[in-house]
Amino acid sequence: MGPGRLPVLLLLPVQAAMMAGIGLMITGPLAHLWPVAAEGGVNRGLAAHRGGPATPFSEWLSLLAGTQSIIALTLLAVAAMLAFSRGRWLRQALFLGGAVAAQSAVFLLVTMVVERSRPHVPHLDAAPPTSSFPSGHVGASVALFGGLAVLVALQPHGARRWLRHALVTALLIVPVAVAFSRVYRGMHYPSDVVGGLLNGTCTLLVLAYALLLPARHRPPADPAPGPIPAERLPAARTPRAADGTPRRAVVVRHPHGCGPELADRVRDVLRRHGYADQEWAPTSAEDAAGGLPGRIAEEDTALVVVCGGDGTVRACADVLAGTGIPLAVVPCGTGNLLARNLRLPSDPAAALEAALSGETARIDVGRVTGDGPAAARFTVMAGAGFDAAMVADASERAKERLGWAAYVLSAVRHLGDPRMRLSIRLDGGPVRERRARMVVIGNVGTLQGGLPLLPDARPDSGRLEVVLLDPRGARGWLAAAGHLTARMLPGRQEAGPGGGYGRVAGGALEYFSAVRVDIRFARPQPRELDGDVIGPGTRLSAEVEPGALRIWLPPRAPHEPGRTAAAAGRTAHTVGG
């Protein structure tokens, strides 16, 4: 599986959270409401009418979906696919084995959160120590037999189409029969087996999208990154300076994010847009801006190109803010949140091509002060608490291999961190005392996957948006996640908390808006700027610098009424290119 498909598997933790949320609802507020309250009657009715061939048949089905049987059948199927295809079905084998393993992992995670006892009827099988919700037997049978049905259905059409349809139908009947047998034998409530069916089905969808659809049924992807044919490229608008000399560009390059191949593509794009005079500056651990202050002071610099992630962009923006020298972003880091919020293409060279084909605009930056490091600027977000601990705990090796998924793994380790005691003051107003697990001050507000952490944030609003995250227990985390993901639905993106101040999601989230934000912590807390750790401290103050950074952005779409810095509804101050 290529690295481009790896982020799809991050839907599995979302799936686990969704299943846990359903389980907590069933064992909590829905437990005494119909139809959950009536489930016991179904189990008692079936227990009262046991007998005949149904009992041994249900026993056979339970054995077929048991852990040992599922593992043995999965290994046998995977070995057979690899042997008979001589390795050509490796992707299909990974899909089947991965589906069985993934649903099992989700099942175990959910049972750690949800505690539901077995039905109060005689049990025909030994009751395992795990929660009754969801049914592990049913989830495993969906992953195995449903996965085999998917593989059969995706085979090329042949003369015996009826046989393939019959086989797919027979395979899909097995999980349904297992679900009935588990209720019949008194091992699960009906909602438990429905949860198992949902868990297995979601796992198949995720694994099929990651491993099967890209190769067979997904629409053809864009051509592999590479030089764009000259006849398809727009002509550069100003290839030379007024005196006829080529314009000068300084390119700040993160060595790990921007490899030799990408560097060659960036050089070609710059030449096509008239920047034949290029000075390349590699970054280092000691100098994230690649000596940019000295390089722009020596000669007349028409453009600074940043090839890296948000940390490299932040370091360069700190130097360029207020100078009027335009910046162009080549997103090739871990998060690339500024590029995402500015709607730049995800392909690095394509992002540069699109930006230089557009126009420049001015966006805000935030300026942070506090105890410890010297004052610095940020373009995306500044944070403290859970957010900063997550960033600090994500190793460079993990980020290189997993991308922003490394932050997800790091976040899991800090879910139980203690809450912070803090005070917050907005624009010199009254001091508010709060407790929170995380505080984020944002110039932009959208995270990976389009998650709107700060829905009111705009990079040219002249204000900073603030959110305090303070979930209480598993339900608090689910409430916060539900509130944020709901804003991703059509028609909800523009709906901010309103008024620049408010609590939402049962108090798990609280929003503020200000030009200046002053925060004090009762104890030193980890802090970060645009994904760079700045060390623990007890103070974090941020003030907006309106329109301080000039940046290249892609041309607006024909239907857009006016130029916006984030293509999100606020007019930016366009300047000459």
Side-chain angles (χ1 to χ4, degrees):
M1 178 169 47
R5 298 168 187 152
L6 183 61
V8 176
L9 298 184
L10 293 176
L11 290 175
L12 292 174
V14 176
Q15 175 185 329
M18 178 192 71
M19 293 298 305
I22 295 173
L24 292 173
M25 292 292 290
I26 290 175
T27 57
L30 300 181
H32 303 293
L33 300 177
W34 190 90
V36 177
E39 288 187 303
V42 176
N43 292 100
R44 289 190 295 270
L46 289 174
H49 294 85
R50 289 172 182 163
T55 299
F57 183 62
S58 67
E59 181 180 7
W60 178 81
L61 286 170
S62 287
L63 289 174
L64 179 66
T67 302
Q68 293 180 346
S69 299
I70 291 293
I71 292 176
L73 290 173
T74 302
L75 292 176
L76 182 62
V78 168
M81 282 191 287
L82 294 177
F84 286 110
S85 70
R86 296 182 180 179
R88 294 194 305 273
W89 290 356
L90 176 61
R91 191 179 295 274
Q92 289 85 340
L94 287 174
F95 161 73
L96 187 65
V100 173
Q103 78 78 30
S104 178
V106 171
F107 162 76
L108 292 174
L109 287 173
V110 174
T111 57
M112 294 172 61
V113 177
V114 179
E115 295 183 5
R116 192 184 198 190
S117 59
R118 304 281 169 177
H120 299 296
V121 296
H123 301 156
L124 297 185
D125 295 328
T130 54
S131 169
S132 182
F133 181 91
S135 171
H137 282 65
V138 175
S141 65
V142 172
L144 175 56
F145 297 103
L148 289 171
V150 170
L151 294 177
V152 172
L154 292 180
Q155 293 305 303
H157 297 295
R160 298 183 178 180
R161 180 179 300 182
W162 64 268
L163 180 60
R164 185 177 66 254
H165 289 170
L167 184 56
V168 168
T169 301
L171 288 168
L172 292 178
I173 288 175
V174 174
V176 178
V178 170
F180 177 79
S181 74
R182 298 303 287 169
V183 178
Y184 176 86
R185 299 181 69 79
M187 305 310 299
H188 292 286
Y189 292 100
S191 59
D192 299 333
V193 299
V194 171
L197 291 169
L198 181 61
N199 182 32
T201 302
C202 289
T203 304
L204 288 179
L205 290 174
V206 172
L207 269 295
Y209 185 85
L211 290 167
L212 300 182
L213 298 187
R216 184 174 295 275
H217 290 285
R218 191 181 296 177
D222 293 334
I228 305 175
E231 61 272 13
R232 294 176 52 194
L233 295 171
R237 294 180 300 164
T238 313
R240 293 180 179 272
D243 60 358
T245 60
R247 292 182 295 176
R248 179 174 183 268
V250 174
V251 184
V252 179
R253 171 194 175 195
H254 192 291
H256 298 297
C258 181
E261 181 180 353
L262 176 57
D264 289 340
R265 295 174 62 200
V266 169
R267 288 188 181 93
D268 290 341
V269 172
L270 288 174
R271 290 192 190 101
R272 288 196 298 268
H273 285 270
Y275 297 97
D277 182 6
Q278 303 174 20
E279 180 178 358
W280 286 67
T283 66
S284 64
E286 297 75 22
D287 187 355
L292 185 59
R295 299 179 191 276
I296 62 175
E298 293 175 358
E299 300 182 47
D300 185 18
T301 302
L303 173 69
V304 172
V305 178
V306 181
C307 302
D310 289 316
T312 309
V313 173
R314 184 199 66 79
C316 294
D318 196 11
V319 176
L320 296 177
T323 65
I325 299 175
L327 170 71
V329 177
V330 178
C332 52
T334 304
N336 304 319
L337 289 183
L338 181 63
R340 292 172 186 267
N341 280 269
L342 297 179
R343 308 290 177 87
L344 291 172
S346 58
D347 177 74
L352 180 61
E353 180 68 57
L356 295 183
S357 299
E359 57 189 352
T360 59
R362 291 190 178 274
I363 66 171
D364 309 334
V365 297
R367 187 173 184 272
V368 165
T369 57
D371 52 331
R377 295 180 175 91
F378 67 93
T379 61
V380 181
M381 300 175 186
F386 172 80
D387 173 57
M390 172 190 69
V391 169
D393 203 26
S395 67
E396 292 298 326
R397 183 178 181 183
K399 288 189 288 185
E400 289 179 11
R401 292 189 174 186
L402 302 178
W404 62 269
Y407 292 128
V408 177
L409 299 178
S410 176
V412 173
R413 294 193 288 267
H414 291 280
L415 289 176
D417 286 0
R419 301 162 68 204
M420 305 179 292
R421 289 176 53 200
L422 60 90
S423 63
I424 181 169
R425 189 177 188 186
L426 308 173
D427 295 331
V431 175
R432 297 180 173 96
E433 301 292 336
R434 294 290 188 272
R435 286 181 178 269
R437 296 187 184 277
M438 177 180 81
V439 56
V440 173
I441 305 170
N443 186 43
V444 297
T446 301
L447 303 180
Q448 284 88 354
L451 190 69
L453 178 64
L454 293 161
D456 285 349
R458 302 291 184 270
D460 55 355
S461 65
R463 301 183 67 81
L464 297 172
E465 305 300 323
V466 186
V467 63
L468 301 182
L469 179 68
D470 189 27
R472 312 288 179 87
R475 293 187 181 183
W477 284 104
L478 290 172
H483 173 78
L484 294 175
T485 53
R487 294 185 177 278
M488 300 171 65
L489 299 175
R492 293 292 303 276
Q493 293 90 336
E494 76 285 352
Y501 171 70
R503 293 175 183 264
V504 295
L509 293 159
E510 185 173 12
Y511 291 96
F512 304 91
S513 180
V515 173
R516 180 178 174 85
V517 182
D518 294 289
I519 301 174
R520 289 183 177 270
F521 306 99
R523 294 182 179 180
Q525 299 295 335
R527 300 170 298 178
E528 61 90 12
L529 295 180
D530 289 358
D532 287 339
V533 179
I534 60 173
T538 59
R539 291 190 292 115
L540 186 66
S541 297
E543 186 171 7
V544 69
E545 295 184 358
L549 183 64
R550 186 181 172 194
I551 191 165
W552 278 97
L553 298 176
R556 64 177 181 267
H559 64 275
E560 289 182 296
R563 183 64 175 137
T564 62
R570 292 182 183 268
T571 303
H573 306 285
T574 304
V575 296

